[in-house]
């Protein structure tokens, strides 16, 4: 049964994009009808990439508005230099990313006015995943009225440097681009109603209180980046 569920889920990932969070939930549920919700574990992600405590590099990537942005170009909701950045690798086509979409919007709307905007980056190769083309990104951003930048890692140069492997996957940076938290948005990527621990929110709140996020690292659960 485990192998069958794995095969079903892989098949869902390959077929491409869900148009709504509800459809994403249906896709996930079909592959997990007999499986309990997996709790996110506080374990290291991988040896490569940027570790918590290290400085993330800046970058220049094209946004869905056609303009090129670096972290230095991004402002908070008040037009000020951010106190930090919630860099989230996400996409159009992954059911887990779609299921997290409204949460990402809500996070930006809550924390961008407090100095912590979301910076969304789409890392998939559109040749492999056509639903993640730049044009499809533009359509999705307009459809959902994204309040944050949605950047295209067109040459797939940024995500390997950061060490991202999943969508969605979070890197919370401070104003000097040092990584303060890395991993999952919360402990229930499959089901927003099942969230018990809001890892990213807790990490941002810790920074706002001049505290160290705990846990600093969790395991991102999602789709593998298509390269």
């Amino acid at each position: 049964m485990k192998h069958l569920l794995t095969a079903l889920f892989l098949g869902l990932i390959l077929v491409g994009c869900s148009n709504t969070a509800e459809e994403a939930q249906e896709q996930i549920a079909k592959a997990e009808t007999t499986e309990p919700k997996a709790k996110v574990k506080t374990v290291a992600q991988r040896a490569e990439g940027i570790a918590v405590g290290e400085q993330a590099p800046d970058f220049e990537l094209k946004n869905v508005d056609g303009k090129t942005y670096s972290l230095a170009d991004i402002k908070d909701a008040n037009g000020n230099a951010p106190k930090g950045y919630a860099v989230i690798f996400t996409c159009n086509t992954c059911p887990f990313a779609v299921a997290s979409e409204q949460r990402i919007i809500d996070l930006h709307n809550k924390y961008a006015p407090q100095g912590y905007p979301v910076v969304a980056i789409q890392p998939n190769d559109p040749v492999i995943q056509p639903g993640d083309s730049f044009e499809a990104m533009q359509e999705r951003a307009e459809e959902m009225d994204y309040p944050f930048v949605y950047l295209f890692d067109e040459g797939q140069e940024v995500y390997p440097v950061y060490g991202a492997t999943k969508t969605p996957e979070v890197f919370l940076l401070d104003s000097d681009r040092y990584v303060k938290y890395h991993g999952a948005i919360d402990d229930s990527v499959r089901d927003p109603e099942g969230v018990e621990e809001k890892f990213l929110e807790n990490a941002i709140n810790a920074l706002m209180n001049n505290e160290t996020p705990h846990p600093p690292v969790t395991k991102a659960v999602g789709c593998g980046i298509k390269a």
Side-chain angles (χ1 to χ4, degrees):
M1 177 62 72
K2 182 177 180 181
H3 294 301
L4 177 58
L5 290 172
T6 300
L8 284 170
F9 183 71
L10 290 174
L12 290 171
I13 300 307
L14 291 173
V15 296
C17 176
S18 291
N19 290 325
T20 68
E22 290 77 9
E23 289 175 356
Q25 281 299 105
E26 291 176 4
Q27 288 188 347
I28 293 168
K30 288 178 182 177
E32 298 181 332
T33 52
T34 61
E35 292 291 321
K37 183 184 75 171
K39 297 293 289 183
V40 175
K41 299 178 181 178
T42 54
V43 296
Q45 299 275 84
R46 55 182 287 179
E48 301 87 352
I50 303 161
V52 168
E54 296 180 344
Q55 189 177 40
D58 205 346
F59 47 72
E60 292 188 351
L61 296 175
K62 185 166 63 172
N63 185 36
V64 289
D65 63 4
K67 300 177 182 178
T68 299
Y69 285 79
S70 66
L71 288 173
D73 297 321
I74 294 170
K75 306 298 181 183
D76 67 14
N78 303 307
N80 299 321
K83 299 174 184 177
Y85 309 86
V87 177
I88 304 178
F89 290 88
T90 187
C91 68
N92 293 352
T93 59
C94 172
F96 292 119
V98 175
S100 300
E101 188 173 32
Q102 189 59 51
R103 277 175 276 185
I104 295 172
I105 292 171
D106 292 344
L107 279 161
H108 178 86
N109 288 336
K110 180 176 181 178
Y111 287 104
Q114 302 181 67
Y116 292 86
V118 165
V119 179
I121 301 176
Q122 196 294 99
N124 286 338
D125 182 350
V127 174
I128 299 173
Q129 200 77 348
D132 287 321
S133 69
F134 183 69
E135 294 74 19
M137 289 172 59
Q138 290 178 308
E139 292 173 6
R140 188 66 178 179
E142 182 177 2
E143 177 186 356
M144 296 300 296
D145 194 22
Y146 283 173
F148 44 78
V149 294
Y150 188 27
L151 308 174
F152 184 26
D153 189 6
E154 187 170 8
Q156 296 193 300
E157 296 177 352
V158 175
Y159 87 80
V161 175
Y162 274 67
T165 63
K166 303 290 185 183
T167 55
E169 185 167 346
V170 175
F171 292 80
L172 177 62
L173 314 180
D174 68 11
S175 59
D176 295 316
R177 305 198 315 273
Y178 283 92
V179 180
K180 297 298 182 179
Y181 169 75
H182 173 206
I185 295 171
D186 53 46
D187 66 346
S188 183
V189 66
R190 298 166 175 82
D191 177 17
E193 299 301 319
V195 174
E196 296 178 3
E197 191 167 359
K198 299 179 178 181
F199 296 125
L200 178 54
E201 281 203 42
N202 293 343
I204 295 174
N205 289 334
L207 293 188
M208 292 172 62
N209 292 319
N210 296 314
E211 298 172 355
T212 299
H214 182 78
V217 179
T218 60
K219 181 179 179 181
V221 176
C223 308
I225 292 173
K226 307 300 186 294

